[in-house]
Amino acid sequence: MSHHLKGRVQIVGSGAIGSLIAAGAQRNNIPYSLAPRRPEQLTQRLTSYSGQRLLLADNLSQAEALGPTDLLVMPLKVHQLEDAARQWQDRLDQATPVLLVHNGMGGLESVRRHLPYQPVYQATTSHGVYKPTLQEARHSGFGRTIFGEAPDNVNLNDTQLQIVFETISRCLQPVTWHPDITEALWLKLVVNAVINPLTSLHDVPNGALAEHRFQPTIKHICQEMAALMQSEGMMFEPQLLADQVRHVIDATAQNYSSMHQDIKHRRRTEIDAINGFIVEQAQKKGIDVSVNAILYEKIKKMEAAYS
Ligand code: PAF
């Protein structure tokens, strides 16, 4: 049976991934609203992966409140989530589903400070999208999206799960449902812990990380991650993690990572939620993650130079 969203997709912000979701909604005639913090940041056009230009002409103005048949999508960085959750908390029905899409970890915890009982869903995507200008987005890398339900949802609602899954499948295809989204987020964390800081520090596109000179560092990070994941009950061979990282490096070879773009545009990066999170967790467990710690410090220095 197919389940359709009866309301709208309300997207918070107007970042690259949010713009891709908006374009997917428009193509599928799903009512949507892309709501930037400042009007000049609103994405107006998206160039699709096949090169078609799409005018985001169906964009509704931001909803005053959202009911149980709407979907609130927060494709924001982890450090932006707590504020956004605070702003929306009084405007949501207790059953309005909320979808988080971000790199790194800690987003769910931030949102829970203001929305402790909200039904939350999480997704991680490897689509490459960037905004060459404030009003324009480009879908430059065709990836895939993994989707699942937050592990701490109190009321499990299979119909809602189906509706959110089908909606996001249309907007960010192809989407796979994962019964343990936390594990999928950890696997993506490994990819981001390698690609994002290394491409930023060396000022290279993702594909350059296939070069011989980067392999010892990548191997070391994957060993650190395997040890940390093991302490969280997830058993992955370092080599398997390294293979996965390599797969993403090859699949997104031409792209510049999101952290590389953040640094280029002098924006705050996601380093705290990626290598910072890893260092923090490892400290609690007494696990050595010195390569992650070095990368963390170096990116923090780069950020401090312009912030
Ligand atoms: O953050 C990014 O840029 C992306 O998550 C990824 C997968 C590393 C590709 O660039």
Side-chain angles (χ1 to χ4, degrees):
M1 200 172 108
S2 124
H3 298 274
H4 292 292
L5 189 77
K6 299 217 166 54
R8 62 151 74 187
V9 176
Q10 176 65 57
I11 303 159
V12 184
S14 188
I17 298 291
S19 308
L20 185 65
I21 295 173
Q26 181 164 304
R27 274 201 210 93
N28 287 282
N29 299 317
I30 300 171
Y32 72 91
S33 158
L34 195 57
R37 266 177 305 171
R38 289 195 295 275
E40 68 273 17
Q41 293 172 334
L42 179 66
T43 310
Q44 320 235 333
R45 295 176 298 281
L46 180 130
T47 307
S48 75
Y49 187 66
S50 56
Q52 281 169 320
R53 278 163 66 89
L54 183 78
L55 207 58
L56 296 177
D58 297 353
N59 188 17
L60 302 169
S61 55
Q62 179 170 300
E64 290 294 320
L66 295 173
T69 59
D70 298 309
L71 170 64
L72 181 66
V73 184
M74 293 182 161
L76 300 173
K77 289 177 176 162
V78 169
H79 63 257
Q80 298 167 329
L81 277 171
E82 192 177 340
D83 262 2
R86 190 187 303 114
Q87 281 162 24
W88 279 94
Q89 63 181 346
D90 298 329
R91 293 147 70 189
L92 301 182
D93 182 272
Q94 59 179 10
T96 309
V98 173
L99 175 67
L100 310 181
V101 193
H102 57 76
N103 281 331
M105 301 295 251
L108 180 61
E109 292 71 13
S110 300
V111 165
R112 284 294 182 220
R113 280 179 210 129
H114 299 287
L115 300 170
Y117 306 117
Q118 208 68 33
V120 174
Y121 299 85
Q122 293 177 281
T124 169
T125 186
S126 57
H127 280 294
V129 204
Y130 69 100
K131 288 185 69 171
T133 66
L134 285 177
Q135 287 87 31
E136 203 183 345
R138 283 204 191 138
H139 187 189
S140 56
F142 200 88
R144 64 192 193 107
T145 302
I146 304 178
F147 165 87
E149 187 162 14
D152 57 358
N153 274 354
V154 274
N155 296 317
L156 304 184
N157 177 339
D158 278 348
T159 310
Q160 184 179 72
L161 173 70
Q162 281 284 336
I163 292 173
V164 179
F165 174 69
E166 292 207 7
T167 306
I168 203 65
S169 293
R170 291 202 174 86
C171 298
L172 266 184
Q173 56 177 248
V175 182
T176 322
W177 173 74
H178 200 299
D180 182 1
I181 190 66
T182 309
E183 182 186 282
L185 295 174
W186 270 93
L187 289 170
K188 178 73 187 300
L189 181 67
V190 179
V191 169
N192 289 128
V194 171
I195 297 182
N196 296 31
L198 287 177
T199 51
S200 306
L201 292 168
H202 296 273
D203 192 12
V204 289
N206 295 354
L209 300 183
E211 286 169 26
H212 197 66
R213 61 182 169 132
F214 293 112
Q215 300 325 301
T217 310
I218 295 177
K219 189 173 167 193
H220 214 126
I221 299 171
C222 291
Q223 283 165 347
E224 293 180 355
M225 293 308 292
L228 184 59
M229 288 174 76
Q230 189 171 351
S231 77
E232 299 274 337
M234 288 168 278
M235 309 294 229
F236 289 96
E237 288 291 327
Q239 188 56 49
L240 194 139
L241 299 180
D243 290 347
Q244 192 192 254
V245 170
R246 180 57 190 258
H247 175 78
V248 178
I249 288 172
D250 293 340
T252 62
Q254 315 295 327
N255 292 3
Y256 283 93
S257 75
S258 53
M259 192 172 285
H260 184 282
Q261 292 168 53
D262 284 338
I263 290 194
K264 187 173 147 203
H265 293 108
R266 304 165 88 84
R267 296 187 294 241
R268 181 169 168 190
T269 72
E270 296 174 303
I271 194 70
D272 288 305
I274 301 175
N275 306 80
F277 170 86
I278 294 164
V279 172
E280 206 177 277
Q281 298 304 307
Q283 261 162 8
K284 288 186 200 155
K285 304 249 164 85
I287 293 169
D288 173 45
V289 291
S290 40
V291 178
N292 272 287
I294 291 168
L295 294 177
Y296 175 71
E297 294 304 331
K298 286 188 171 168
I299 297 291
K300 278 300 214 191
K301 279 208 184 101
M302 282 181 104
E303 267 186 341
Y306 60 71
S307 60

